[in-house]
Amino acid sequence: MKEFKNVNDILDFAIKAEQDAVDFYTSLANQAKNNEMKLVFEEFAKEEVAHKARLEKIKIEQIFVLAEEKVNDLKISDYLVDVKATPDMSYPDALVLAMKKEKAAFKLYSALAARATDLGLTKIFQSLALEESKHKLRFEIEYDDNVMREN
């Protein structure tokens, strides 16, 4: 993982990661053949934009206070094979891709939280990891309800 010299380096890294997520979900929305899936990916892109804005605000204000919460993990994505984004990907494959992406984001923010030297910054990254775990859970529930139950 990249070496960080200060809090702003960490925040800049996280802001870029959020922009990458925005770009990822926007691309999936643009490629979606299913209008429902397009709307789901557009909504996730908006949430990632909000995460980015939150990080930018934290960077400017240097205020690191957040609430704590616990999110369930169905662990469905742990047992699914990786898929690649394609213009004609199926709905189940899109869900798998999204779950894997959210899991990776969760791991990133958890690792950043572990490396942060400021308690407030640690809490920010823990909170962002929590948000990513919520996204993953939403995709896992959707997968469970609409893919696993059909099989």
Side-chain angles (χ1 to χ4, degrees):
M1 188 180 285
K2 180 180 168 158
E3 288 297 316
F4 302 106
K5 295 180 177 138
N6 56 44
V7 170
N8 284 336
D9 280 356
I10 296 171
L11 289 169
D12 288 340
F13 180 82
I15 289 166
K16 183 183 178 325
E18 291 299 332
Q19 183 58 53
D20 290 346
V22 170
D23 296 343
F24 171 76
Y25 285 121
T26 300
S27 174
L28 286 180
N30 291 336
Q31 295 176 30
K33 305 282 189 211
N34 174 321
N35 195 46
E36 180 183 344
M37 199 68 229
K38 179 180 179 71
L39 294 173
V40 167
F41 287 130
E42 286 173 344
E43 181 62 32
F44 272 78
K46 287 178 190 174
E47 287 188 30
E48 302 298 352
V49 166
H51 289 171
K52 180 182 172 189
R54 182 171 157 200
L55 286 168
E56 288 170 336
K57 182 178 180 190
I58 288 166
K59 182 179 175 185
I60 291 166
E61 296 176 357
Q62 296 291 301
I63 297 173
F64 310 125
V65 179
L66 301 163
E68 292 184 29
E69 183 181 350
K70 178 142 174 58
V71 175
N72 288 329
D73 183 358
L74 299 181
K75 298 191 183 292
I76 292 172
S77 64
D78 293 354
Y79 303 101
L80 300 172
V81 297
D82 291 337
V83 297
K84 294 189 186 267
T86 62
D88 59 345
M89 75 176 10
S90 68
Y91 185 62
D93 283 350
L95 290 173
V96 170
L97 186 62
M99 281 186 269
K100 298 285 186 171
K101 180 81 171 161
E102 296 303 325
K103 183 176 181 177
F106 169 80
K107 286 182 175 183
L108 169 68
Y109 286 127
S110 295
L112 289 172
R115 294 182 67 182
T117 55
D118 178 276
L119 179 60
L121 193 56
T122 298
K123 290 192 176 292
I124 287 169
F125 288 124
Q126 288 170 338
S127 175
L128 288 166
L130 178 73
E131 288 299 314
E132 302 302 344
S133 68
K134 287 179 189 177
H135 290 178
K136 181 175 153 284
L137 177 62
R138 283 177 33 197
F139 283 127
E140 286 183 330
I141 290 170
E142 179 69 11
Y143 190 89
D144 185 50
D145 289 347
N146 294 297
V147 177
M148 292 179 77
R149 293 178 198 244
E150 291 176 6
N151 294 328

